[in-house]
Amino acid sequence: MSVCGAARCWWIQTRGAVSLRVLQQNRTVCTTGAPESIREKLQAFPGGSIDLQKRQESGIAVLTVNNPARMNAFSGCMMLELEQRVHELESWTEGKAVIVKGAAGNFCSGSDLNAVRAIANPQDGMRMCEFMQNTLTRLLRLPLISVALVEGRALGGGAELTTACDFRLMTSDGVIQFVHKHMGLVPGWGGAARLVGIVGSQNALKLLSGAVKVDPDCGRQMGLVDEVLLCSSGEGETLTHAEQWLRPFIKAPAPVIQALKKVVVSGRELPLEQALKTERNVFGTVWGGPANLKALALKPKHK
Ligand SMILES: CC[C@@H](C(=O)O)C(=O)SCCNC(=O)CCNC(=O)[C@H](O)C(C)(C)COP(=O)(O)OP(=O)(O)OC[C@H]1O[C@@H](n2cnc3c(N)ncnc32)[C@H](O)[C@@H]1OP(=O)(O)O
């Protein structure tokens, strides 16, 4: 059943639910589906797709924002599909990482301006923002190491999407630009809050108030870009380079990688006492587990 054919209420089901449950208590992130009205409105704007390829052998998923005729701008249906793909990844037990990219050598040009023009009243605009904020918060909280692969332009909401990943890799032609000022707007998908956490408040203010075109050098200097991929524009080659960059970080069984991401999320988002409690709970899921026992068996017994 396509998402656009049915608006459903999604609940986050995940192991180590303490971290998510505590996070939900502390955050206004709604884990239930957005009100029917905004879903119906978003369904009225078709076009493009959010494609997900889960590679069981490597544990790396590739999530592609696919609307090349619109420079991968988000139609309403793509916003709904993104939530569905994130929901799928929340329950991918073999997963270790997800690479978020755009189609045809561009990252994403933000909201589809045709939809933006039609969702012009403040109430619906705020509901669309809340829907995307919730989805992008869930993307960043996935128990997977997430990487935004920025080829070409990441503009507006597309720039915000890059901040909803743990890391950002950029090709030499890549640009991240928070163009919101030029639209008479501020980021609405949570990009401002996350950007402050990534580059600090002063650099965030410069990038937003200056609508600065962040190229690879600027991004590396600011700490917004974690690696520049010096490779030809071949889409397949760039993705291969991104997977190679990820490899050292996912060299462990999926439950261990997922546990590591969960304790980092709770350390980043929770007050210390709750973060420590989450860490203990997650520790309990891997202590004495297959990977732990296998590692102990390989250690020489000390006399
Ligand atoms: C919370 C933020 C969120 C929101 O408020 O909802 C937003 O993200 S608002 C949108 C922010 N994004 C933008 O403002 C970028 C808009 N696009 C552009 O400025 C330019 O297209 C470009 C990205 C600078 C590229 O320019 P250029 O190289 O000249 O190509 P074209 O302009 O001809 O674009 C090719 C093609 O793609 C269509 N396009 C591009 N971006 C969008 C978009 N965001 N929504 C809809 N369509 C988009 C563009 O119209 C062209 O299509 P055709 O005219 O049919 O050829």
Side-chain angles (χ1 to χ4, degrees):
M1 179 186 301
S2 82
V3 175
C4 287
R8 281 169 287 178
C9 184
W10 298 108
W11 295 86
I12 292 181
Q13 306 288 345
T14 181
R15 288 170 301 129
V18 171
S19 56
L20 274 179
R21 189 164 53 248
V22 170
L23 286 176
Q24 286 154 6
Q25 285 162 1
N26 284 280
R27 309 274 307 189
T28 56
V29 171
C30 160
T31 56
T32 58
E36 201 67 21
S37 60
I38 191 58
R39 287 176 179 278
E40 286 166 358
K41 286 192 189 296
L42 291 176
Q43 285 167 9
F45 301 101
S49 63
I50 302 292
D51 306 330
L52 178 63
Q53 186 188 21
K54 294 189 289 189
R55 300 173 175 179
Q56 300 298 352
E57 70 287 349
S58 65
I60 299 176
V62 180
L63 187 145
T64 304
V65 183
N66 188 2
N67 193 10
R70 291 270 171 265
M71 296 194 79
N72 301 325
F74 267 88
S75 67
C77 278
M78 288 168 71
M79 293 179 187
L80 293 168
E81 277 194 47
L82 179 61
E83 185 200 42
Q84 185 185 39
R85 300 290 176 251
V86 169
H87 178 71
E88 288 175 45
L89 290 171
E90 282 165 342
S91 54
W92 186 30
T93 53
E94 300 78 24
K96 299 181 183 181
V98 56
I99 297 172
V100 179
K101 65 186 291 293
N106 256 306
F107 188 74
C108 171
S109 181
S111 286
D112 184 322
L113 290 169
N114 303 310
V116 168
R117 290 184 188 98
I119 307 181
N121 71 72
Q123 290 71 25
D124 285 342
M126 287 169 68
R127 288 194 190 104
M128 177 271 289
C129 282
E130 182 183 16
F131 182 86
M132 286 302 287
Q133 282 184 351
N134 288 336
T135 300
L136 295 187
T137 299
R138 289 168 63 184
L139 171 63
L140 187 54
R141 283 180 178 162
L142 281 172
L144 308 174
I145 297 174
S146 53
V147 172
L149 175 54
V150 182
E151 301 169 275
R153 286 182 269 217
L155 306 177
E160 297 190 63
L161 175 57
T162 72
T163 68
C165 295
D166 297 309
F167 301 102
R168 282 148 295 281
L169 308 183
M170 190 183 266
T171 54
S172 49
D173 70 335
V175 172
I176 297 175
Q177 189 181 12
F178 294 85
V179 295
H180 305 78
K181 177 180 82 167
H182 297 324
M183 302 278 296
L185 292 170
V186 299
W189 296 357
R194 292 187 298 267
L195 186 63
V196 169
I198 295 168
V199 301
S201 58
Q202 287 184 315
N203 279 330
L205 188 54
K206 284 178 183 173
L207 294 186
L208 295 178
S209 63
V212 173
K213 289 187 180 180
V214 179
D215 65 16
D217 290 342
C218 172
R220 288 279 284 172
Q221 282 168 10
M222 276 196 175
L224 181 60
V225 173
D226 299 280
E227 190 70 79
V228 181
L229 300 181
L230 300 174
C231 49
S232 73
S233 57
E235 194 169 337
E237 185 181 346
T238 308
L239 184 56
T240 301
H241 277 245
E243 290 176 321
Q244 286 169 349
W245 184 86
L246 261 173
R247 201 140 293 141
F249 304 114
I250 59 173
K251 205 171 181 179
V256 175
I257 301 300
Q258 294 207 7
L260 289 168
K261 174 64 187 284
K262 283 176 186 173
V263 295
V264 168
V265 169
S266 62
R268 178 179 66 211
E269 299 197 18
L270 297 178
L272 180 59
E273 284 311 311
Q274 289 173 358
L276 295 176
K277 181 177 181 183
T278 298
E279 194 170 300
R280 290 196 302 275
N281 285 315
V282 174
F283 181 87
T285 67
V286 289
W287 174 260
N292 179 227
L293 296 176
K294 183 177 178 183
L296 288 172
L298 293 174
K299 294 286 182 196
K301 288 186 174 48
H302 297 292
K303 298 187 179 38

